[in-house]
């Protein structure tokens, strides 16, 4: 009897794989030193399905130097618990997998089919399973449905996808070399000068990304608006008042706008021409990850990282396909009809799926982007087996409706325009309406079109100008990035990967480089970017990062070797980092004030103490170490004002004021959670407020 | 001797009163004056221009600081 060890990426995936492979009986859950495994009997063979917890191995320095030491060029792959702090759980998983692997004579990597999944499986098989990577096989799938997992097991690839794993290794190694050396150079320089510890980080992708935000902030900070004037015109058509547009959208000289008003005010106009145009609106393309993240932000305000996290939960629940995809294709092999059939079991989609199925052949409106590993994101047709939370429900509905909409008919829209002549001046009335809804009705609330219906008009008809006035306006600076638009900018610049971009955006917040949802670059972000621009401009150069990205992609296709790219990176970084080391004092000097200022600003509130008017600060109780808002007038004025604040997560004082009491709002960000914005003052007042009288329900007594 | 911009901690640009950041603001301020002046038929004084910009939310913070500095130096008249 042969024993096969199947390695999956997460515990939920392990359960689904085990369930799919056990045809007659339920898989047996066994525990090896507290780590769960699933045992499956298949024909004469025994299959053991284990899971990782994401990466169990990480890049780390070879020696045991202090964490502050740099440059570091000697590295290797180490168990994650030896490379990073707080990874005890990972140690248990490595030890258990290693123990169980001794019983196995066949190995399969069944981690997610992409760079990270290939690397997770490869490192486990290589390091924990005594070099089993060389004889291991690869299961490839895009959903965790029973059918697809069984197919993937039956058609297992005879060997691992080494090129993907090596590309992943290279990416981790290059990023580590960049991050560890440059971040330590900044942190150490600052520490040397200020003796205040602040984690300053930069990286191969983080640096250019931060530069986007800083450049936008610089544009906003140095923006000078210019004035322009628009005409606000109301016309009366058969007793109905409608707003009209003037032929010149904006006047740049005030006197010209004023003379136009003089010439038109109180006069009647004639409808000279009526025009109508019909447009065809194609259905949307299927979701790739970035489009999904953008729509989730637009409709629900989910950050890209949150959207990815929710999508991954839905994937693990067998409800949608693998979300980390760049594809906008839906091959027919995914089984459109089967998916429609599955979705029809959900009340909300029953009528729509029936309509689509009855309309004949199903052909999705595919986009251009492709991904060799996975199709676009689509619903599997599975029905939720547990109660989805509100956020999961929203994202699931978005994925389903987008999938359905891609199969919809083209919609048609009509635009109407009436040209009104007042002397030599032209005004326009505009309307628009949807003639045929097509895919719009399938996409539901996510397709929004404003319809403006014009009254019945005739050429030669007289209309009167009832109101004409001047509105002074100003040119606007570019908008600040939000997490979603920054992610899009990274994608357009071709830096980072679909798997890492959302995390990089989050890191900018965690490091204090940006604040607020509309990303405001902090003085620290400016200073770090300026230092990098002055001392090592290539490090934050998008072109250079993109080139490196291209070389790493070549590893995937076998045109480049991992060793070559890593050696090239070291050769390139060495003089830069050594140069930074010699300028530590200078760099430290440039960072000192900003770090001290940032630290001060991070704990000082902009609202004064409501009791004594002194400065309020976030301080810690020396005994309990709990943080709270305290008054600096405590000693001089004996002020006892204080407010509690959340104890966990990164606390940021926002510029925003509470709409109810005007106190300064605070935000708490914890890893993997939505940022929480609250008013400490209202929180306390709510606690102090008398509780509403409990309602007493009197149950009727039933006499037998 | 290290020469700093009078409005921030950055270093002055060679043969300039300000750093690159405030020089960018100064350039935008100068460039936009002709548009403002034309908009009001050449009847807008520099002081009025500065006054209008200072009151606008759209004007960048760095530009407002620069205007304050220029006014203190008496360059608004």
């Amino acid at each position: 009897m042969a024993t096969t060890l199947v390695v999956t990426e997460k515990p939920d995936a392990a359960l689904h794989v085990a369930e799919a492979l056990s045809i007659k009986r339920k898989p047996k859950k066994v525990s090896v030193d507290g780590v769960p495994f699933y045992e499956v009997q298949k024909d004469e063979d025994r299959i053991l399905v284990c899971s990782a917890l994401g990466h169990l191995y990480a890049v780390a320095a070879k020696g045991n130097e202090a964490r502050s030491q740099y440059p570091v060029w000697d590295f290797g792959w180490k168990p994650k618990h030896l490379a990073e702090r707080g990874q005890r759980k990972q140690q248990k998983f490595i030890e258990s997998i290693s123990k169980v692997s001794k019983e196995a004579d066949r190995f399969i990597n069944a981690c997610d089919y992409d760079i990270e999944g290939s690397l997770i499986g490869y490192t486990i098989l290589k390091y924990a399973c005594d070099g089993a990577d060389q004889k291991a096989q690869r299961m490839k799938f895009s959903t965790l449905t029973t059918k697809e997992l069984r197919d993937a097991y039956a058609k297992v690839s005879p060997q691992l996808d080494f090129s993907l794993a090596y590309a992943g290794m290279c990416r981790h190694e290059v990023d580590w070399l960049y991050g560890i050396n440059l971040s330590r150079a900044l942190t150490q320089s600052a520490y040397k000068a200020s003796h205040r510890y602040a984690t300053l980080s930069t990286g191969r992708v983080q640096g250019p990304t931060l530069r986007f935000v800083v450049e936008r902030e610089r544009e906003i900070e140095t923006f000078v608006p210019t004035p322009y004037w628009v005409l606000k015109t109301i016309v009366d058509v058969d007793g109905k008042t409608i707003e009209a547009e003037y032929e010149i959208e904006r006047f740049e000289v005030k006197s010209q706008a004023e003379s136009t008003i003089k010439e038109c005010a109180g006069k009647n106009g004639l409808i000279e021409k009526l025009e109508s145009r019909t447009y065809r609106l194609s259905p949307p393309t299927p979701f790739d990850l970035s489009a999904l993240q953008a729509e989730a932000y637009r409709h629900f305000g989910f950050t890209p990282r949150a959207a990815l996290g929710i999508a991954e939960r839905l994937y693990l629940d067998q409800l949608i396909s693998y979300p980390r995809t760049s594809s906008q294709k839906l091959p027919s092999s995914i089984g459109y009809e089967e998916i429609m059939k599955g979705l029809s079991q959900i009340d909300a989609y029953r009528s729509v799926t029936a309509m689509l199925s009855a309309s004949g052949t199903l052909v999705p409106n595919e986009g251009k982007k492709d991904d060799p590993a996975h199709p676009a994101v689509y619903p599997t047709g599975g029905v939720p087996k547990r109660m989805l939370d509100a956020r999961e429900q929203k994202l699931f509905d978005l994925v389903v409706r987008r999938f359905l909409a891609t199969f919809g008919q083209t919609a048609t829209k009509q635009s109407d325009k009436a040209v009104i002549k007042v002397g030599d001046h032209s005004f326009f009335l505009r309307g628009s309406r949807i003639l045929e809804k097509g895919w719009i009705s399938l996409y539901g609330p996510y397709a929004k079109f404003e319809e403006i219906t014009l009254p019945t008009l005739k050429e030669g008809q007289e209309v009167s100008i009832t109101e004409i006035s001047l509105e002074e306006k100003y040119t606007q600076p570019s908008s600040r990035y939000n997490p979603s638009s920054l992610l899009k900018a990274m994608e357009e610049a071709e830096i980072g990967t679909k798997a890492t971009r959302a995390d990089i955006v989050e890191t900018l917040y965690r490091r204090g480089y940006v604040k607020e949802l509309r990303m405001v670059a902090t003085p620290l972000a400016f200073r770090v970017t300026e230092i990098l621009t002055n001392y090592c401009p290539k490090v934050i150069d998008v072109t250079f990062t993109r080139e490196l990205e291209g070389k790493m992609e070549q590893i995937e296709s076998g045109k480049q070797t991992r060793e070559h790219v890593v050696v090239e990176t070291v050769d390139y970084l060495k003089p830069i980092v050594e140069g930074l080391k010699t300028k530590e004092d200078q760099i430290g000097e440039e960072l000192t004030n900003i770090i001290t200022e940032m630290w001060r600003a991070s704990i000082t509130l902009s609202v004064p103490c409501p009791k004594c008017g002194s400065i309020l600060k976030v301080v810690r109780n020396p005994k309990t170490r709990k943080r709270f808002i305290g008054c600096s007038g405590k000693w001089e004025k004996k002020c006892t004002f204080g407010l509690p604040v959340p104890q966990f997560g990164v606390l940021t004082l926002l510029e925003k004021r509470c709409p109810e009491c005007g106190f300064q709002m605070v935000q708490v960000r914890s890893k993997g959670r939505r940022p929480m914005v609250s008013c400490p003052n209202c929180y306390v007042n709510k606690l102090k407020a008398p509780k509403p009288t409990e309602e007493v329900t009197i149950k009727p007594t039933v006499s037998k | 001797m290290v020469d700093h911009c009078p409005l921030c901690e950055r270093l002055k640009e060679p043969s300039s009163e300000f750093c690159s950041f405030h020089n960018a603001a100064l350039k935008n301020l100068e460039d936009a004056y002709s548009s403002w002046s034309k908009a009001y038929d050449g009847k807008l004084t520099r002081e009025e221009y500065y006054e209008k910009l200072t009151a606008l939310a759209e004007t960048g913070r760095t530009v407002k600081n620069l205007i304050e500095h220029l006014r203190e130096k008496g360059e608004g008249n």
Side-chain angles (χ1 to χ4, degrees), chain A residues 159 333 450 509 655:
Chain A
Q159 60 172 19
S333 57
E450 203 191 346
Y509 280 103
E655 279 174 25

Side-chain angles (χ1 to χ4, degrees), chain A residues 33 39 49 115 119 135 175 193 221-222 241 244 299 334 341 346 366 378 415 435 486 526 554 607 630 648:
Chain A
D33 301 331
E39 197 175 332
V49 185
I115 286 186
L119 179 59
K135 54 182 173 186
D175 286 350
E221 289 261 305
T222 59
T241 55
H299 297 292
I334 65 168
K341 212 169 137 190
I346 302 170
E366 294 183 321
Y378 65 91
S415 291
L435 297 178
L486 183 61
F526 271 99
Q554 285 178 342
V607 291
F648 301 102

Side-chain angles (χ1 to χ4, degrees), chain A residues 92 152 472:
Chain A
K92 279 175 84 180
E472 188 170 48

Side-chain angles (χ1 to χ4, degrees), chain A residues 386-509:
Chain A
R386 63 176 173 92
M387 186 71 125
L388 299 181
D389 68 31
R391 287 154 64 84
E392 290 167 337
Q393 260 178 40
K394 282 179 179 171
L395 202 79
F396 179 62
D397 186 59
L398 180 64
V399 171
V400 173
R401 291 196 184 274
R402 177 70 163 227
F403 172 77
L404 298 173
T406 59
F407 292 96
Q409 299 286 325
T410 301
T412 49
K413 183 185 163 189
Q414 183 178 301
S415 291
D416 304 312
K417 182 178 163 189
V419 182
I420 303 168
K421 275 288 192 190
V422 181
D424 291 335
H425 301 280
S426 298
F427 293 83
F428 309 126
L429 296 180
R430 290 184 199 275
S432 69
R433 60 200 169 110
I434 302 291
L435 297 178
E436 283 169 55
K437 280 197 162 182
W439 63 268
I440 291 174
S441 56
L442 303 174
Y443 206 22
Y446 312 116
K448 285 176 190 160
F449 288 97
E450 203 191 346
E451 290 191 84
I452 304 164
T453 314
L454 291 180
T456 315
L457 301 168
K458 282 184 295 188
E459 284 181 4
Q461 186 179 346
E462 198 172 69
V463 295
S464 61
I465 308 273
T466 55
E467 191 189 319
I468 183 160
S469 58
L470 208 55
E471 268 186 86
E472 188 170 48
K473 294 194 171 188
Y474 301 93
T475 52
Q476 298 292 312
S478 308
S479 299
R480 287 193 169 93
Y481 285 108
N482 60 43
S484 175
S485 58
L486 183 61
L487 199 98
K488 201 162 179 233
M490 292 168 80
E491 200 189 351
E492 279 166 6
E494 294 171 41
I495 57 169
T497 68
K498 52 186 177 283
T500 57
R501 286 181 195 125
D503 278 339
I504 287 166
V505 173
E506 285 287 317
T507 306
L508 300 184
Y509 280 103

